[in-house]
Amino acid sequence: MCVLKVFSESDVIIIPSALDFVSQDEMLTPLGRLDKYAASENVFNRQMVARSLLDTLREVCDDERDCIAVLERISRLADDSEPTVRAELMEQVPHIALFCQENRPSIPYAFSKYLLPIVVRYLADQNNQVRKTSQAALLALLEQELIERFDVETKVCPVLIELTAPDSNDDVKTEAVAIMCKMAPMVGKDITERLILPRFCEMCCDCRMFHVRKVCAANFGDICSVVGQQATEEMLLPRFFQLCSDNVWGVRKACAECFMAVSCATCQEIRRTKLSALFINLISDPSRWVRQAAFQSLGPFISTFANPSSSGQYFKEESKSSEDTPVEDKNRIRDQEVPEDVQIRPEDVTSDPSISNSSVKLENMVEDHAETSRKSPGEISVPVDSSLLCTLSSESHQEAASNENDKKPANCKSALRPEGGASSPDSALLDQELYNSFHFWRTPLPEIDLDIELEQGSGDTLSPETPEETSEVTVPGSSNITMATRKELEEMIENLEPHIDDPDVKAQVDVLSAALRASSLDAHEEASDAEKRSDVQDELGVNGLPNCKINHDASVPLISDAVENMDSALRYIHNDSDLSTNSSFSPDEERRSKVQDVVPQALLDQYLSMTDPSRAQTVDTEIAKHCAYSLPGVALTLGRQNWHCLRETYETLASDMQWKVRRTLAFSIHELAVILGDQLTAADLVPIFNGFLKDLDEVRIGVLKHLHDFLKLLHIDKRREYLYQLQEFLVTDNSRNWRFRAELAEQLILLLELYSPRDVYDYLRPIALNLCADKVSSVRWISYKLVSEMVKKLHTATPPTFGVDLINELVENFGRCPKWSGRQAFVFVCQTVIEDDCLPMDQFAVHLMPQLLTLANDRVPNVRVLLAKTLRQTLLEKEYFLTSASCHQEAVEQTIMALQMDRDSDVKYFASIHPASTKISDDAMSTASSTY
């Protein structure tokens, strides 16, 4: 018998589940949990406290007292004996500081009072990991500007200066110097100059530890760039000279690596006279590692000599060419006279014997550029020594040209205008009339051909080392630039002949002689003229100069308006018949052809020697690559007028056996073309460019990535020659190199603007259609954009027959392709055409939409899915199909209804709704990826 026992409610025993227990931690307040684990003996618990400090602050951010309590516990946690806990805490400090900054009204001065002292104290921690994390935290706080300027001056800098004291720990001292150098750009010039610079100079002379000197040398450029030119030249340069001659090669190597930054912080004179000689010492250092670093920095150091005058980057905005100048204005300029009361007598000429021994240098008027820019476009002021320079008058040019043997120094004439403003009111008014506020130089502009500066290079200033005894020669423009340039060069050579014993003068005579040969239009006529001039100079001797008299009846056309005479000026720079193929040049003449005056010649000679095979053995196996890398900067510095100095080196690098060297040149050849201009590019760069096109794929990719940038600089006839070679880019050494073809498609999109519609249709269209059928979806996706842009260009052309033919070809080859991938590509092209408005919608409805709608019955679901997306998300978004009640709109709606009844669920989905979160491009790419 079964007995049933009934329990009352009071007798029921409830056994709770483990989930019903409430955690004791959840019962605690955030501060309670913090205190519990901060006092734990388990190291991992205390590390967890350090990681959770930011979360705890966010929980209590509404209560200011709780925030202060958390910060106080951070201060106690900072005294933890375990280094891992202190390091973990320091990693969280930047995040906590940012939180304090955002909640500044609730917890003012929290960072300065609680966190910054911990960071500063950990800089001298015994544990290396803690010091490293504190250094990183300090730099992060400075970079985010979370430390007040007052705190930097009173709390951070004093500690760093103390850590760099002579009795400080070696490792700590080295790290403190590194921190000081790294924080200098962040704290600014004032704090650096007052607090950091004196100790930095002391550390540069630390005799006991070379590690400290090495850190100073490595960061020398950063300090120079912060404190500026004056402090660099007065305080830092003497220390830099000491470091460059340090007995430890690592210190000298660090100096070589930062040489360019130091050079940028000095003036041109110090750069030329002192730093150049110092750098030559580093290049010839006994240590191979120092020489290697010096050669790597040689190109960047040479680039610091760049200026608009020497580099040829000169731009005149809204200025008139000489053809646009009225005749009366030309006459006014030509008839401008100098006051006749300006007389120069032989007894007024200085008798200082140092003049005859002075180093006469050909300059590009860097210091005088400000005065030059204020002159009229047709005239320029050239400071010259009256005892050395006599120039022909404009009136005597024809007479001198017809009877050059009668030319004597006593017949020399010049138009001088004193610096003290002795010009007439009429001439002052003329200066105001010709002044143009837009007449200024600026950074390089791609399609500007310099010619003014080229001619300045042929008639540059001759300034002795006694500037106080100079006067200013004002010369208006002349219409006959070739004759004026040649006569000016001849006069300069004559005036320098008496001082030919001086090596510097002799070098300048060599430069002028080479320029005179280059400016000749006829080599035989030039040889005859040079012979006559040589005979005249032999007859005159060195005693003819004091008898020179100055005539003020006419002005001297030293430098003419070069806008009118572009071809002759460029012919002066580069004449293939005179320079490249003239086999009569002696070795000395070839050496002289590499002489210039923009940078110290010794530096350029060392740079040109980087292609010497012996350098690869004695310095660095990749020295040629470094030479190639910095060559565009060196070319910009020298200017196109000195390209002849680099031409041979560039050709040597272009034929280097290492493909990395050729690859470097291939990636930068478009930049060099901008520097050199169209004529030099066509003569010297195009043959090398053609060689790169047939090189390895690693080299060809450099040319391909900037194909548009290079071709747009060429003349249209030369540019069309490359249409036949574009097809070759489809062939690669490795067929799996799909990125090569993708880059080709990108470049073809840019090239569309450079060619006519017929060229696009005949040459670019076959390549584009080939890429649309590529095996890689990424290549096809870019090609669809290419084809759509091609449709746009050809349709807008007159007549639009090419566009219609291209559309018909798309319909025939892709829309009716037997392979489903071709039909899918047709939908992609239509989608891109619609999105980018490449065709008017009425034209699209006529030419492309009928074939597009027929794909609703395609047997492959992928094609129908893409069609549904295109119709629903792209086509119906156009205004043409929203407002017009045409037969085209009715056909689209019927097609969409048919797709909504499709047997495939994905087709139904995209045809039925418009997913707001689905981007057509993303879905299209995913569909395209599944093509093969």
Side-chain angles (χ1 to χ4, degrees):
M1 185 177 71
C2 184
V3 179
L4 180 63
K5 186 175 182 180
V6 180
F7 293 94
S8 64
E9 290 185 4
S10 59
D11 297 332
V12 176
I13 300 175
I14 301 176
I15 302 176
S17 170
L19 297 177
D20 294 332
F21 287 106
V22 179
S23 173
Q24 294 182 358
D25 287 352
E26 293 182 0
M27 298 291 294
L28 297 175
T29 62
L31 285 176
R33 289 197 304 272
L34 194 66
D35 292 334
K36 175 183 176 181
Y37 289 104
S40 173
E41 296 181 359
N42 192 326
V43 175
F44 296 104
N45 287 341
R46 301 202 298 276
Q47 283 182 300
M48 182 188 67
V49 170
R51 292 193 193 101
S52 62
L53 284 173
L54 183 59
D55 294 333
T56 304
L57 273 175
R58 286 172 176 160
E59 290 182 32
V60 301
C61 62
D62 295 333
D63 192 333
E64 180 180 346
R65 288 178 300 177
D66 289 347
C67 290
I68 298 300
V70 173
L71 294 173
E72 291 174 349
R73 284 159 176 78
I74 292 177
S75 300
R76 291 200 297 267
L77 191 65
D79 298 327
D80 197 288
S81 59
E82 180 59 37
T84 56
V85 177
R86 300 199 302 274
E88 188 67 46
L89 172 63
M90 193 49 53
E91 290 182 2
Q92 302 300 319
V93 164
H95 306 290
I96 298 174
L98 185 60
F99 174 82
C100 294
Q101 181 74 13
E102 294 172 350
N103 296 271
R104 196 178 180 89
S106 303
I107 43 177
Y109 309 110
F111 171 76
S112 177
K113 183 177 180 180
Y114 296 101
L115 299 180
L116 185 57
I118 301 175
V119 176
V120 173
R121 177 155 55 95
Y122 279 4
L123 292 174
D125 197 275
Q126 295 180 353
N127 185 269
N128 182 55
Q129 182 183 5
V130 176
R131 291 200 309 272
K132 296 295 184 184
T133 53
S134 65
Q135 294 164 14
L138 177 61
L139 294 177
L141 294 169
L142 288 170
E143 187 176 4
Q144 299 178 29
E145 299 180 353
L146 296 176
I147 305 180
E148 297 290 340
R149 185 180 182 86
F150 176 78
D151 291 336
V152 173
E153 296 185 19
T154 59
K155 296 182 179 180
V156 178
C157 288
V159 172
L160 291 175
I161 293 174
E162 181 182 352
L163 293 177
T164 55
D167 57 346
S168 180
N169 179 273
D170 293 346
D171 293 338
V172 173
K173 181 191 295 186
T174 305
E175 294 170 358
V177 173
I179 289 295
M180 290 170 60
C181 297
K182 292 177 181 178
M183 65 182 286
M186 304 177 190
V187 300
K189 178 180 179 180
D190 180 54
I191 294 179
T192 301
E193 203 165 351
R194 286 190 295 107
L195 303 177
I196 297 178
L197 185 58
R199 180 51 59 93
F200 178 81
C201 293
E202 294 178 13
M203 293 296 99
C204 291
C205 304
D206 192 306
C207 301
R208 191 170 61 88
M209 289 191 61
F210 80 90
H211 294 288
V212 175
R213 301 197 305 274
K214 185 177 180 180
V215 170
C216 292
N219 296 276
F220 211 95
D222 296 334
I223 297 295
C224 291
S225 61
V226 173
V227 299
Q229 178 177 327
Q230 182 178 358
T232 297
E233 296 176 355
E234 294 178 358
M235 300 183 64
L236 290 175
L237 274 188
R239 308 302 192 281
F240 188 66
F241 275 75
Q242 294 176 7
L243 293 174
C244 287
S245 59
D246 197 277
N247 56 359
V248 178
W249 67 265
V251 178
R252 303 195 303 273
K253 178 176 179 290
C255 290
E257 291 171 344
C258 70
F259 213 95
M260 185 194 74
V262 176
S263 177
C264 290
T266 62
C267 66
Q268 186 74 262
E269 180 182 358
I270 290 180
R271 189 179 301 141
R272 179 179 293 272
T273 58
K274 297 182 179 180
L275 292 183
S276 299
L278 183 63
F279 195 85
I280 293 297
N281 292 336
L282 292 176
I283 282 183
S284 55
D285 194 271
S287 172
R288 176 171 181 167
W289 306 111
V290 178
R291 296 197 304 271
Q292 179 176 327
F295 272 108
Q296 290 183 19
S297 300
L298 177 56
F301 176 50
I302 291 177
S303 68
T304 61
F305 288 86
N307 59 75
S309 295
S310 62
S311 64
Q313 305 306 317
Y314 187 94
F315 179 66
K316 236 182 2 179
E317 188 173 345
E318 294 186 6
S319 62
K320 296 181 179 180
S321 64
S322 58
E323 291 85 349
D324 299 331
T325 305
V327 177
E328 54 269 25
D329 290 346
K330 292 183 179 180
N331 293 333
R332 277 194 302 168
I333 298 173
R334 189 179 300 111
D335 296 337
Q336 183 182 358
E337 298 289 347
V338 177
E340 296 183 0
D341 58 350
V342 181
Q343 299 290 336
I344 294 183
R345 296 166 298 182
E347 56 269 20
D348 294 334
V349 179
T350 178
S351 59
D352 191 348
S354 63
I355 293 298
S356 60
N357 298 325
S358 62
S359 175
V360 183
K361 299 178 181 179
L362 186 65
E363 308 221 355
N364 282 320
M365 301 166 58
V366 177
E367 297 83 5
D368 302 317
H369 186 78
E371 290 82 354
T372 300
S373 62
R374 289 192 286 270
K375 303 296 179 184
S376 61
E379 68 177 26
I380 189 165
S381 298
V382 184
V384 295
D385 193 303
S386 59
S387 66
L388 295 180
L389 180 59
C390 297
T391 53
L392 290 171
S393 68
S394 59
E395 294 179 355
S396 63
H397 272 301
Q398 295 179 354
E399 181 180 354
S402 62
N403 190 7
E404 194 169 351
N405 291 328
D406 295 336
K407 184 172 56 177
K408 303 291 182 180
N411 297 330
C412 295
K413 302 178 182 181
S414 177
L416 300 180
R417 185 172 61 188
E419 295 181 3
S423 58
S424 63
D426 294 338
S427 63
L429 180 60
L430 181 63
D431 288 345
Q432 294 177 2
E433 291 176 355
L434 293 179
Y435 175 73
N436 188 344
S437 60
F438 291 100
H439 179 218
F440 60 93
W441 61 270
R442 58 170 68 166
T443 51
L445 293 176
E447 297 179 359
I448 299 301
D449 283 335
L450 173 74
D451 35 318
I452 293 178
E453 212 33 68
L454 302 186
E455 293 158 1
Q456 288 182 0
S458 67
D460 271 336
T461 305
L462 291 174
S463 59
E465 295 181 359
T466 55
E468 66 274 5
E469 297 180 10
T470 63
S471 58
E472 199 170 273
V473 178
T474 303
V475 285
S478 171
S479 60
N480 191 354
I481 181 172
T482 305
M483 183 61 68
T485 301
R486 288 177 49 78
K487 297 305 177 185
E488 173 61 18
L489 289 173
E490 293 170 0
E491 275 303 305
M492 287 186 173
I493 294 174
E494 286 183 5
N495 293 324
L496 286 174
E497 285 294 338
H499 311 279
I500 197 67
D501 294 336
D502 192 309
D504 291 331
V505 176
K506 186 176 184 301
Q508 302 311 323
V509 172
D510 295 339
V511 176
L512 293 174
S513 301
L516 186 60
R517 288 195 303 271
S519 64
S520 175
L521 298 179
D522 189 303
H524 301 290
E525 181 183 353
E526 169 57 25
S528 176
D529 293 342
E531 184 178 355
K532 291 180 181 180
R533 186 179 67 254
S534 177
D535 295 338
V536 173
Q537 291 172 353
D538 292 339
E539 294 175 4
L540 293 177
V542 295
N543 297 324
L545 181 64
N547 298 324
C548 175
K549 295 182 180 180
I550 308 300
N551 190 342
H552 309 282
D553 296 336
S555 56
V556 184
L558 288 177
I559 300 174
S560 304
D561 190 321
V563 177
E564 184 182 10
N565 302 279
M566 175 80 67
D567 296 337
S568 61
L570 287 175
R571 195 177 296 112
Y572 153 67
I573 294 307
H574 174 66
N575 192 327
D576 285 338
S577 62
D578 290 335
L579 296 182
S580 301
T581 62
N582 193 343
S583 59
S584 63
F585 276 8
S586 65
D588 290 340
E589 290 175 326
E590 292 181 0
R591 179 184 59 81
R592 292 171 188 171
S593 67
K594 297 181 181 179
V595 176
Q596 43 71 53
D597 63 339
V598 180
V599 301
Q601 188 62 36
L603 290 178
L604 182 61
D605 291 341
Q606 291 290 346
Y607 179 80
L608 298 179
S609 71
M610 292 176 71
T611 57
D612 191 339
S614 62
R615 293 292 192 189
Q617 300 176 1
T618 59
V619 180
D620 185 7
T621 56
E622 294 190 349
I623 189 172
K625 180 182 177 183
H626 298 305
C627 179
Y629 182 81
S630 57
L631 195 140
V634 176
L636 177 62
T637 302
L638 295 180
R640 64 185 66 168
Q641 69 270 26
N642 291 313
W643 167 242
H644 60 275
C645 299
L646 296 174
R647 184 188 299 112
E648 183 179 347
T649 299
Y650 190 78
E651 293 172 353
T652 303
L653 293 171
S655 60
D656 195 276
M657 294 296 296
Q658 301 182 66
W659 64 266
K660 291 182 179 180
V661 177
R662 304 194 304 274
R663 173 185 169 93
T664 303
L665 292 182
F667 270 93
S668 63
I669 192 170
H670 67 289
E671 298 288 356
L672 192 58
V674 173
I675 297 170
L676 297 184
D678 55 353
Q679 293 197 12
L680 288 174
T681 296
D684 296 332
L685 297 189
V686 167
I688 294 175
F689 183 83
N690 295 337
F692 288 157
L693 292 178
K694 303 173 183 178
D695 212 313
L696 301 176
D697 285 352
E698 289 80 3
V699 179
R700 295 169 70 205
I701 188 64
V703 173
L704 180 59
K705 276 185 174 294
H706 303 285
L707 186 63
H708 168 262
D709 297 329
F710 185 83
L711 293 183
K712 73 178 181 181
L713 302 173
L714 302 181
H715 191 271
I716 185 169
D717 295 334
K718 178 67 68 172
R719 189 188 304 155
R720 290 192 73 253
E721 295 178 5
Y722 291 94
L723 287 170
Y724 307 94
Q725 303 182 46
L726 292 176
Q727 191 82 20
E728 298 176 4
F729 282 110
L730 292 174
V731 181
T732 57
D733 299 337
N734 185 357
S735 59
R736 296 182 179 180
N737 189 7
W738 60 268
R739 290 181 177 85
F740 201 91
R741 301 189 298 275
E743 186 62 41
L744 174 60
E746 294 277 10
Q747 287 297 312
L748 290 179
I749 295 176
L750 301 174
L751 290 177
L752 292 177
E753 66 178 14
L754 300 181
Y755 293 104
S756 65
R758 174 170 290 278
D759 289 338
V760 170
Y761 184 81
D762 291 342
Y763 298 99
L764 303 187
R765 173 189 53 84
I767 302 176
L769 298 182
N770 192 328
L771 292 173
C772 284
D774 197 89
K775 294 182 179 180
V776 179
S777 62
S778 297
V779 178
R780 297 196 303 272
W781 186 249
I782 303 173
S783 303
Y784 302 148
K785 173 72 173 177
L786 169 62
V787 172
S788 64
E789 291 295 328
M790 200 172 291
V791 169
K792 182 177 182 179
K793 179 180 179 66
L794 296 180
H795 177 75
T796 56
T798 305
T801 54
F802 294 119
V804 175
D805 292 343
L806 175 59
I807 291 174
N808 293 336
E809 188 171 3
L810 288 173
V811 172
E812 186 65 29
N813 294 346
F814 289 92
R816 298 169 184 165
C817 181
K819 297 180 64 174
W820 71 272
S821 58
R823 301 192 298 274
Q824 187 190 52
F826 178 77
V827 181
F828 272 124
V829 171
C830 292
Q831 167 197 310
T832 310
V833 168
I834 298 171
E835 287 180 339
D836 298 341
D837 294 323
C838 299
L839 273 179
M841 283 298 100
D842 56 343
Q843 296 294 318
F844 177 86
V846 172
H847 296 291
L848 288 174
M849 198 173 72
Q851 180 60 33
L852 182 66
L853 297 182
T854 59
L855 297 179
N857 300 320
D858 198 279
R859 61 182 182 275
V860 178
N862 284 29
V863 178
R864 301 197 304 275
V865 167
L866 184 58
L867 176 63
K869 293 178 184 179
T870 302
L871 296 179
R872 194 64 162 165
Q873 300 178 7
T874 305
L875 190 65
L876 290 182
E877 294 294 322
K878 295 297 178 180
E879 189 72 17
Y880 179 82
F881 291 97
L882 292 177
T883 57
S884 62
S886 62
C887 59
H888 302 301
Q889 182 183 17
E890 182 178 353
V892 172
E893 292 177 352
Q894 292 178 357
T895 303
I896 290 179
M897 292 179 60
L899 293 174
Q900 290 174 351
M901 305 296 294
D902 197 276
R903 58 184 180 276
D904 188 272
S905 59
D906 292 332
V907 178
K908 288 182 180 179
Y909 173 78
F910 286 105
S912 301
I913 62 173
H914 186 169
S917 61
T918 303
K919 295 294 183 182
I920 182 68
S921 59
D922 299 337
D923 293 326
M925 281 296 289
S926 63
T927 308
S929 301
S930 61
T931 300
Y932 292 101

